[in-house]
Amino acid sequence: MVDETACPVWNPGSCEGTSSCPPRCPRFVAPDGTAYTVYRLGECPARNTDRVVAETGLDPTVDDGVVAFRGDDVVAWVERQPGDAGRRWRANVGLSRGASTVVGVELVRQVVADGVDQGADSVVVRSPERVADRVLEEIDGAEPVSDGSTEDSTDSTRGTPMAVDLDADGAKRTTRNPVDRGDLRVSRDLDSLFAPETIAVVGATDREGAIGRAVVENLASSFAGDVVPVSRSADRVYGLPAVNDVADADADLAVVVLPAAATVDAVRDAAEAGVDAVAVLSAGFGETGDEAGVRRERALRDVSAAHDLALVGPNALGVLSTRRSMNASFGPSLPDAGRVSILSHSGAMVTATLDWAAANDVGVRDVVSLGNAAGIDEADALRYWGADAGTDVVFAYLEDVQDGDRFLEAAREVSRTTPVIALKSGRSDAGASAAASHTGALVGDDAGFDAAFDAAGVVRATSQQDAYDLVGAFARQPLPRGDRVAVVTNAGGPGVLAADAIAATDLSLAALSAATRDRLAESLPDAASVGNPLDVLGDATVERFVDALEVVLADDAVDAAVVVSTPHPLVDHADLVAGIGDAGRRYGKPVATCFSGGPPSDETSAALAAADVPNYPDADRAANALAALAATAERQRRPRSDPEPVDADRERVAATLDRAASEGRETLGVEAMDVLDAYGVATPAAELVTSPAEATRVARSLDGPFALKVASPDLVHKSDVGGVQVGVSADDVETAVADLLAAVDERAPTADVTGVLVQELAPEGVECVAGVTRHARFGPMVTFGLGGVLVEHLDDVVHGLAPLTQADARRLVRSVDAATVLDGARGSDPVDVDALAEALRRLSWLAVDHPSLTELEVNPLVATPDGTVAVDFHAELASDK
């Protein structure tokens, strides 16, 4: 039986805490829902030190162990004592009176996991009998022992001794995460790229200003490995012994900084010498657009594929990693170590991002400038970092992706455990053109990237500033359990602005519980506004501020908080930040600050970094960052399901398309409405006629009044040329058809008219539009909007990648701005949203199953309380021309 309380993701910062949490996670929630916070003794908050000493007799500044709190109360602790030369540990477990056995077992599990990690052979644990009994049941390798003292006391550390063999499988399992990130399929092992032992710099030189000099200098200054310059003209470069041939370097990674014409041979030589990874910093390849550059890049791809090289570039800034203090680039500096990994199509964006990270104390793990991505691509890097326990956040600056399907597959898997933030350029036509000239990328419709990111769970940043705001939030704060946010402030106006900012996102203002309001009313001055926003008044001290925040965070109705403050003589922001960070950690909820005014002081900036609290000078930025955290958490909790094919008459559709192709047709119109019927999309009863007299005969067999529509492969917008009449009675059909044909002949004399569709009127409902186009990178993409023929003017459409699941389709329907119209407007009944979503799902499969349909549109698609009806149809077919 699956443990439903198991943590759905593994990320130390976002783990919500469960009975199966990994060891050393600060948040632990027992099966009965009781929440605990576990600290190492040395990391215990200073304000709780006296409480720990009084309850346990341990000194957090001296003793080794862990302590568990429920709120501010100490409930369990472990004192770890030195063993036999570090190989046999001893530990004593204590519980306060009335404390749950479960939390004692959790602390034993943490001690066992620490012992496994640090190479101990065994650990002897003395604990209350009820804890020992559970440990003996749950941890394979635990056995009771007798050391001459079997006295037991439920509320002391003198109890039942047991020994845990740390080589046993049960002991080793205590170190594993709920989701084993090692199970993520890695398409390429990039250890040689990010953690090499030896680096060869091919094209190294002592010439000032040369890239070959900058790379060697950067590596020599910090790299925790060997640097070997490769030069045909020098015995030493930057004081380091040089070799003539890369084969003599015995390198894991080669950095090539030669002129473009010499680069392909140099990469081939490195590959034949057994080098696993190559970074080509040279320019002059596909990005130039000329034939010689394109040919050189193709040759690089061939060499990379033939030798299974982990190739970066060409036209790349290089590779950096703090694992071994490696700056294999011509960038100016190595970042501080941290847990954010970065990929970029732009070297300039790398240097800008690293400069921001340094200024904001955000640590970095790995950095790769992909350049033209002739070797490893975005998917390779994503998968590698998704399986890397040292990467908590991935930031990607993208101008395109090399392979849409591979990117989607990788991003979908990685984003389940590791947030992926993307800044994609080329939103505008001008930006797309510039991006193409920058990297030689094939830039597709930007709406397709929106749909792809949404499908893959990638967080899309709207600007460079937004990207940095998001990276700072994801790197520093846990994911929330919901979207309910509290605002705590000492400034009324800014607090209201923060509430407005929250309301403008997909977040909601938390409704504080009655118990929380009572606690706040007891502790705050009478003039304080006990609500949300919570105004602790302008004369609030840091202690009042933090105490109020802790009461708010303790409320189960609060998922996150924003602390808003303006400069005030009674509030030292550095002290306030320290309290905020501790409160957020203890309650496992994200907290952001919004300190308005000038830049934070150096002391406040240092406190923000130490407390891992993101600060935003504007409430809108804080709200957007929290909204992204909440949306990511919701996606990660969302059950995964693969799209299931629909039941359809595929052969019938294939026959229609084959017939159209044999006739040389490039479009389908209303004459092919049976294509929709074959996929279970309802259409009104109708028949195609070729003369007014035939229209009269057909009208007698159908229920009027009717809609008449000209059928022509040359007319997409039939109403523009008088090719549509609606509300025609049976008696008037013959005359109306004749008039319609005459109008079309006059306004579009060259159009090939194949007939007129006599169609029963659709029921009244909400007119929508649904269509499918094919994106250059991601394939069929569904578009949905409201408005029927006015859709282009309303510009209220959303996009999703095909095929859709029913849940995908429902989210798409609910994503349009005017979605509330579907719930009933001006007294009308709400439409059947499930039926509307099902129609979108079926249309998505129609496009997936039949690639020769390059584009299709159903407009209007009428949604009613009783179902959904497709009224009109147009499709573009693949051409052999």
Side-chain angles (χ1 to χ4, degrees):
M1 179 178 178
V2 177
D3 181 3
E4 294 183 354
T5 66
C7 186
V9 297
W10 167 243
N11 184 327
S14 62
C15 180
E16 295 182 357
T18 72
S19 57
S20 59
C21 267
R24 285 119 337 156
C25 185
R27 185 80 170 157
F28 173 67
V29 178
D32 65 359
T34 304
Y36 301 91
T37 306
V38 181
Y39 292 102
R40 294 184 183 278
L41 280 174
E43 298 173 358
C44 188
R47 64 189 183 81
N48 288 331
T49 299
D50 291 344
R51 198 174 280 117
V52 172
V53 172
E55 183 69 31
T56 70
L58 302 175
D59 184 349
T61 63
V62 176
D63 294 318
D64 183 17
V66 292
V67 59
F69 288 85
R70 184 174 61 230
D72 285 330
D73 297 327
V74 177
V75 293
W77 59 94
V78 172
E79 177 190 14
R80 207 186 80 189
Q81 301 171 333
D84 304 331
R87 306 299 296 168
R88 181 180 177 89
W89 287 11
R90 295 183 180 276
N92 296 323
V93 179
L95 294 181
S96 63
R97 292 189 179 277
S100 170
T101 301
V102 171
V103 69
V105 175
E106 168 64 15
L107 296 193
V108 172
R109 190 162 68 103
Q110 296 209 15
V111 170
V112 170
D114 276 344
V116 172
D117 279 350
Q118 296 186 35
D121 294 329
S122 64
V123 57
V124 175
V125 181
R126 185 181 294 276
S127 70
E129 184 175 7
R130 55 194 172 106
V131 172
D133 289 345
R134 288 284 293 274
V135 171
L136 293 170
E137 290 177 6
E138 296 182 12
I139 299 182
D140 178 36
E143 298 288 345
V145 296
S146 174
D147 63 355
S149 175
T150 58
E151 177 185 358
D152 177 55
S153 171
T154 303
D155 300 305
S156 77
T157 58
R158 296 191 307 274
T160 302
M162 56 189 156
V164 183
D165 178 2
L166 300 186
D167 287 328
D169 288 342
K172 292 177 180 177
R173 278 195 296 271
T174 64
T175 67
R176 296 178 187 170
N177 303 328
V179 174
D180 185 357
R181 296 175 74 178
D183 289 344
L184 183 69
R185 182 172 59 83
V186 177
S187 50
R188 298 197 68 104
D189 182 355
L190 301 182
D191 285 351
S192 295
L193 186 64
F194 292 113
E197 297 287 336
T198 301
I199 301 175
V201 182
V202 183
T205 177
D206 269 325
R207 181 165 53 87
E208 290 288 348
I211 292 178
R213 164 64 181 256
V215 173
V216 173
E217 189 172 345
N218 283 342
L219 288 170
S221 67
S222 62
F223 178 52
D226 295 326
V227 181
V228 182
V230 179
S231 172
R232 299 283 174 88
S233 59
D235 294 331
R236 304 184 74 84
V237 174
Y238 199 65
L240 299 173
V243 297
N244 291 328
D245 194 316
V246 69
D248 297 326
D250 192 24
D252 310 293
L253 168 64
V255 181
V256 178
V257 289
L258 294 169
T263 295
V264 175
D265 288 340
V267 172
R268 184 180 293 108
D269 291 344
E272 292 175 351
V275 176
D276 294 323
V278 176
V280 178
L281 279 52
S282 314
F285 293 83
E287 80 282 355
T288 65
D290 63 48
E291 183 179 347
V294 172
R295 186 172 59 252
R296 281 192 291 267
E297 185 164 319
R298 187 181 306 116
L300 271 184
R301 292 180 186 275
D302 292 343
V303 172
S304 174
H307 295 275
D308 195 29
L309 271 182
L311 175 72
V312 170
N315 190 30
L317 176 76
V319 185
L320 302 90
S321 178
T322 56
R323 303 172 193 231
R324 296 178 58 79
S325 298
M326 178 188 74
N327 182 1
S329 80
F330 56 92
S333 61
L334 185 71
D336 291 335
R339 306 181 71 85
V340 177
S341 288
I342 301 166
L343 72 87
S344 175
H345 287 155
S346 162
M349 274 299 300
V350 168
T351 58
T353 301
L354 295 184
D355 192 56
W356 166 83
N360 290 273
D361 295 294
V362 174
V364 173
R365 173 77 161 170
D366 299 324
V367 183
V368 60
S369 163
L370 291 178
N372 297 0
I376 70 166
D377 62 8
E378 307 81 15
D380 294 323
L382 283 179
R383 285 191 177 280
Y384 179 76
W385 289 327
D388 173 33
T391 295
D392 284 347
V393 182
V394 174
F395 170 53
Y397 169 74
L398 303 174
E399 292 171 352
D400 192 15
V401 296
Q402 290 295 306
D403 186 316
D405 289 341
R406 290 187 72 243
F407 175 82
L408 276 173
E409 184 183 4
R412 276 193 180 106
E413 293 187 33
V414 172
S415 66
R416 301 296 297 185
T417 59
T418 305
V420 179
I421 299 162
L423 177 60
K424 164 69 172 62
S425 61
R427 280 185 178 273
S428 66
D429 291 341
S433 177
S437 62
H438 184 203
T439 63
L442 171 63
V443 179
D445 176 14
D446 193 65
F449 280 89
D450 272 336
F453 292 155
D454 184 64
V458 173
V459 182
R460 182 167 191 174
T462 58
S463 67
Q464 193 170 345
Q465 176 181 279
D466 185 41
Y468 295 158
D469 285 350
L470 294 174
V471 171
F474 279 95
R476 288 171 164 155
Q477 290 294 296
L479 299 183
R481 300 176 192 178
D483 62 3
R484 302 164 299 178
V485 181
V487 177
V488 181
T489 181
N490 66 345
V496 174
L497 289 174
D500 288 342
I502 289 166
T505 68
D506 291 331
L507 299 170
S508 61
L509 280 171
L512 302 181
S513 69
T516 294
R517 293 196 303 272
D518 288 345
R519 288 183 63 189
L520 291 169
E522 291 174 1
S523 60
L524 294 174
D526 292 341
S529 174
V530 179
N532 190 13
L534 172 62
D535 187 351
V536 297
L537 301 180
D539 64 349
T541 60
V542 168
E543 183 178 8
R544 186 197 296 174
F545 228 136
V546 173
D547 286 347
L549 175 63
E550 292 198 352
V551 172
V552 168
L553 291 177
D555 193 330
D556 289 337
V558 174
D559 300 309
V562 179
V563 176
V564 180
S565 179
T566 55
H568 196 285
L570 293 180
V571 177
D572 183 309
H573 278 167
D575 291 342
L576 178 59
V577 166
I580 291 170
D582 180 53
R585 171 185 166 88
R586 289 195 301 111
Y587 288 97
K589 298 179 181 181
V591 182
T593 58
C594 182
F595 293 160
S596 325
S601 66
D602 291 344
E603 293 78 9
T604 300
S605 294
L608 288 164
D612 269 342
V613 173
N615 176 62
Y616 305 96
D618 181 82
D620 290 329
R621 290 169 59 185
N624 288 336
L626 289 178
L629 292 177
T632 298
E634 190 278 327
R635 278 195 299 266
Q636 290 185 346
R637 289 191 296 266
R638 189 185 301 163
R640 297 181 67 177
S641 61
D642 294 325
E644 295 184 3
V646 298
D647 55 304
D649 190 345
R650 290 170 174 80
E651 292 76 13
R652 179 177 160 196
V653 174
T656 298
L657 299 179
D658 288 344
R659 184 166 58 253
S662 68
E663 296 171 356
R665 298 179 58 183
E666 297 181 0
T667 63
L668 296 177
V670 291
E671 77 284 352
M673 294 282 285
D674 62 331
V675 166
L676 302 178
D677 289 321
Y679 267 73
V681 179
T683 62
E687 190 169 333
L688 188 70
V689 301
T690 57
S691 68
E694 187 181 4
T696 299
R697 178 186 60 77
V698 167
R700 295 193 188 103
S701 64
L702 300 174
D703 294 329
F706 302 100
L708 307 178
K709 303 175 182 181
V710 66
S712 170
D714 301 324
L715 300 175
V716 177
H717 301 293
K718 299 177 289 294
S719 58
D720 291 350
V721 295
V724 177
Q725 291 193 32
V726 179
V728 180
S729 68
D731 293 337
D732 296 333
V733 163
E734 184 170 355
T735 301
V737 168
D739 292 343
L740 182 149
L741 291 172
V744 171
D745 184 58
E746 179 182 350
R747 299 181 187 180
T750 62
D752 179 16
V753 176
T754 59
V756 176
L757 188 75
V758 180
Q759 183 184 65
E760 292 182 1
L761 289 184
E764 290 190 4
V766 178
E767 287 196 356
C768 308
V769 60
V772 182
T773 54
R774 293 190 183 271
H775 191 269
R777 287 290 185 248
F778 304 113
M781 179 176 70
V782 178
T783 296
F784 171 76
L786 302 181
V789 295
L790 298 178
V791 65
E792 294 176 12
H793 304 284
L794 296 178
D795 193 27
D796 185 13
V797 294
V798 291
H799 310 278
L801 294 189
L804 300 173
T805 66
Q806 182 71 1
D808 292 336
R810 277 190 64 92
R811 281 192 292 273
L812 208 60
V813 168
R814 287 297 184 189
S815 295
V816 293
D817 294 337
T820 53
V821 172
L822 301 172
D823 298 325
R826 295 189 175 182
S828 61
D829 293 330
V831 308
D832 185 341
V833 172
D834 285 333
L836 180 55
E838 178 66 8
L840 295 183
R841 186 173 80 92
R842 290 179 172 275
L843 288 172
S844 78
W845 276 105
L846 172 61
V848 169
D849 291 339
H850 303 282
S852 62
L853 284 169
T854 59
E855 183 177 333
L856 66 89
E857 179 178 282
V858 176
N859 187 17
L861 179 68
V862 180
T864 77
D866 301 315
T868 298
V869 180
V871 178
D872 208 314
F873 176 67
H874 176 80
E876 301 283 337
L877 305 179
S879 172
D880 294 331
K881 296 179 182 178

